[in-house]
Amino acid sequence: MKKILVATDFSDRSRRAVERGATLAHDLGASLCVLNVIDDDQPEQLIDAEEREAKAILEKLSDTLDLLNGIDSVTRIEFGEPFLRIVETAQQISADLIVVGAHRRRVLHDLFIGTTAERTVRHSACPVLMANTGPATYRHIAVCTDFSDASVEALRTAARLAMGSNALLTAIHVFQAYMPGTMISAAMGVGDEADFVTDKQAEAERTMIEILRNAKVENAAVQLVRAEPYRPVAELLLSSTRDMDADIIVVGTHGKGAVKRLLLGSVTEQIFTTDDIDILAVPPR
């Protein structure tokens, strides 16, 4: 990763994004572009006032980043719909990573779907990191894989990030060892059930090792989690990630449809509703 784009609206949420982007730029030896997008659907007087204020804040921010982090940073102001300008700017500067702040939440329901963060993830051609935590260097990276092409790309990206941050890397997979709609214990004894689970786990481990080998991902630990009939996969993945004290969870998105729009998938969407760990979404090539 050589170029990192951070989007900020100067809120506390986006402050964490700027700090994370600066830390990554320092650790990876990358350049940093800090972007502020001003809504142009308002009176010209307000737009001018916001632009003047944004320039002053960005100038101070750039000086601070250069002084504290010793990185190559630039600032930029764009006008229009935030997620569109973020995605377009990333393409223009050939960014390898976009960093955004955590999404706002409502009391009665989660608001990830339809937010700037969610729309950026859906439309970006490069990985998007939602910064939920502080700026400390990553020490343990967890990457979720369902053995799809999308998760293979997530593995490769996580491996590059782990190498640049000198972090541990763990690949997590949730494997099924039950028959939907049936009670396995009713059809076999306790010993047979244990053998069945062991076989399924071994099969998943062989597949994981083969995928890691083909993706040329080395030195990755493997964590296999048995699926539970009434527990969401996303919940199992997040629980495992917390148990291993990982700093960030990496997930793949899926390209699908005639217009090749990026669809997150239900598991990825559920993971993005958490707010106690950084989340990196990696689109397929």
Side-chain angles (χ1 to χ4, degrees):
M1 295 181 180
K2 296 302 181 184
K3 293 183 179 180
I4 298 174
L5 174 68
V6 178
T8 178
D9 59 6
F10 307 129
S11 66
D12 186 60
R13 292 173 293 105
S14 60
R15 176 187 58 78
R16 290 194 293 272
V18 173
E19 291 174 344
R20 172 57 64 196
T23 299
L24 286 173
H26 176 269
D27 292 345
L28 302 176
S31 62
L32 184 69
C33 177
V34 182
L35 170 69
N36 174 250
V37 180
I38 297 174
D39 181 10
D40 60 357
D41 187 18
Q42 55 183 333
E44 187 174 346
Q45 253 185 325
L46 289 179
I47 294 177
D48 292 342
E50 286 190 23
E51 184 179 10
R52 287 194 299 271
E53 185 176 1
K55 284 181 177 178
I57 295 174
L58 287 174
E59 184 176 351
K60 291 181 180 178
L61 182 59
S62 180
D63 291 341
T64 301
L65 291 173
D66 293 345
L67 179 65
L68 296 181
N69 297 85
I71 57 176
D72 177 19
S73 67
V74 296
T75 61
R76 185 162 173 167
I77 297 175
E78 296 290 342
F79 302 87
E81 181 69 31
F83 86 91
L84 283 177
R85 292 295 173 261
I86 293 170
V87 172
E88 289 171 357
T89 301
Q91 292 174 339
Q92 290 169 7
I93 69 172
S94 299
D96 301 299
L97 175 69
I98 298 173
V99 184
V100 296
H103 56 92
R104 288 191 180 94
R105 297 170 181 276
R106 290 182 179 176
V107 175
L108 298 180
H109 66 281
D110 187 83
L111 197 63
F112 176 63
I113 303 301
T115 64
T116 296
E118 186 264 350
R119 290 173 177 173
T120 302
V121 170
R122 283 188 184 275
H123 292 83
S124 175
C126 70
V128 179
L129 171 64
M130 190 165 75
N132 287 312
T133 62
T137 296
Y138 292 136
R139 294 304 177 194
H140 194 168
I141 299 170
V143 54
C144 305
T145 176
D146 57 5
F147 302 153
S148 66
D149 291 342
S151 62
V152 170
E153 188 60 29
L155 275 169
R156 293 194 181 105
T157 300
R160 290 193 293 269
L161 183 59
M163 184 179 298
S165 302
N166 196 28
L168 299 174
L169 177 64
T170 299
I172 309 176
H173 174 70
V174 176
F175 70 97
Q176 289 194 0
Y178 65 92
M179 298 181 220
T182 66
M183 291 297 291
I184 189 171
S185 59
M188 57 180 68
V190 175
D192 293 333
E193 179 180 350
D195 290 341
F196 176 79
V197 173
T198 300
D199 289 345
K200 285 294 184 180
Q201 182 170 345
E203 179 184 346
E205 185 173 8
R206 287 193 297 270
T207 303
M208 177 74 86
I209 292 173
E210 183 66 20
I211 286 177
L212 289 171
R213 183 184 298 115
N214 292 337
K216 297 181 180 179
V217 174
E218 300 177 351
N219 301 321
V222 174
Q223 177 76 29
L224 298 175
V225 181
R226 183 182 176 183
E228 300 177 20
Y230 303 106
R231 194 173 179 190
V233 171
E235 184 180 319
L236 288 169
L237 291 169
L238 288 170
S239 177
S240 297
T241 302
R242 294 181 182 114
D243 288 344
M244 67 179 67
D245 199 25
D247 309 298
I248 178 175
I249 186 167
V250 183
V251 293
T253 61
H254 296 270
K256 187 177 180 181
V259 296
K260 297 183 180 179
R261 185 183 181 190
L262 293 181
L263 303 178
L264 302 186
S266 60
V267 173
T268 301
E269 286 181 352
Q270 291 170 41
I271 287 175
F272 260 94
T273 62
T274 191
D275 62 356
D276 61 350
I277 188 171
D278 285 6
I279 307 164
L280 177 62
V282 181
R285 291 191 177 186

